[in-house]
Amino acid sequence: KNQVEQSPQSLIILEGKNCTLQCNYTVSPFSNLRWYKQDTGRGPVSLTIMTFSENTKSNGRYTATLDADTKQSSLHITASQLSDSASYICVVRTGGFKTIFGAGTRLFVKA
Amino acid sequence: DVKVTQSSRYLVKRTGEKVFLECVQDMDHENMFWYRQDPGLGLRLIYFSYDVKMKEKGDIPEGYSVSREKKERFSLILESASTNQTSMYLCASSQRERLETQYFGPGTRLLVL
C-alpha cells in the first residue's frame, strides 16, 4: 500500500534553534518528493521538490534531503524563526495522476 | 504570481443542504483538484479534472460531485451535506504534466450542523 508517514506529529522548539522533520514513504513507483509549508488557515505552499537522483536541495534556511534507497526524506530548518510556525507536509508522486500526502508535522516556534 | 481563489473562507450549512464550493485559477492550468483536509489525516483527494468537462474520482469521492464547464473554474458540490463533511476544503491547480507542482487556494472551512 502506498503510504507517506511523517514524524513527529508535532514539535515545539525555541526561536533560533534547528530542527529536523522526517518523512518515510512506501510509494512505488517513485517519481518525486515535495515538501510544502502550510500556515494556519492557508493553503500549502511549495518549499522544495526532489527527484530520484537528488540527495539534497536547499531553499533559504530549509534543506531537504532524500535517500531513495531507504525511502526517507528529511526537512531541516536552520535558525528557526517565529514565522516558521506552520504545518509541514511531505508529498510523494507516483506514476500517472497519483500524489500521496503525509499527514504533516505541526511545528511551533516559541520566543 | 499564480493565483487560486476559493469562493468562501468560511461556510456554515445545515444537514441536507446543497453546497457549492467554487475555485478559480488564473494561470491557464489544465489540471484542477479538490482535497479535504482533516486533522491527522492529511490531504485526501476527492476529485480532479485534467480538462474542461473531464473529471476523475480521487480517493474519497462519495457524497461529492464536481463540475468543470470552463478551464479556469472547478466546482465541488455536496448534494446533501452531512455532518461528516465538516472539514477544510482545498482547491489546487497545476500544469498538465507538472502534477507535483500544485498551487493551492486558501481553503474553505465548512461546518455542517
Side-chain angles (χ1 to χ4, degrees), chain B:
Chain B
D1 278 355
V2 175
K3 195 167 185 183
V4 179
T5 57
Q6 295 183 227
S7 51
S8 305
R9 292 300 303 276
Y10 301 95
L11 212 51
V12 180
K13 297 291 182 180
R14 296 203 176 276
T15 302
E17 278 193 80
K18 191 168 186 176
V19 182
F20 291 88
L21 302 182
E22 298 276 322
C23 175
V24 177
Q25 50 94 6
D26 66 357
M27 283 302 292
D28 202 36
H29 284 170
E30 291 82 9
N31 303 324
M32 295 188 76
F33 308 83
W34 273 107
Y35 297 90
R36 63 177 284 177
Q37 185 177 32
D38 301 290
L41 295 178
L43 276 77
R44 293 180 291 167
L45 181 64
I46 304 172
Y47 267 96
F48 70 93
S49 169
Y50 52 89
D51 206 345
V52 174
K53 296 191 185 295
M54 305 304 288
K55 61 185 179 185
E56 292 286 341
K57 292 180 180 179
D59 298 318
I60 50 165
E62 295 78 19
Y64 304 95
S65 62
V66 291
S67 172
R68 191 153 181 216
E69 296 297 317
K70 293 185 178 181
K71 191 175 185 180
E72 68 271 18
R73 189 179 298 269
F74 192 33
S75 303
L76 179 69
I77 303 153
L78 287 66
E79 293 290 341
S80 177
S82 62
T83 55
N84 63 13
Q85 291 179 310
T86 290
S87 186
M88 168 74 104
Y89 289 88
L90 287 160
C91 174
S93 72
S94 79
Q95 294 177 324
R96 186 181 298 285
E97 297 302 325
R98 306 274 322 260
L99 288 168
E100 65 281 357
T101 308
Q102 295 181 25
Y103 296 87
F104 285 84
T108 295
R109 190 168 289 281
L110 173 66
L111 173 62
V112 182
L113 300 174

Side-chain angles (χ1 to χ4, degrees), chain A residues 13 43 109:
Chain A
I13 62 173
V109 180

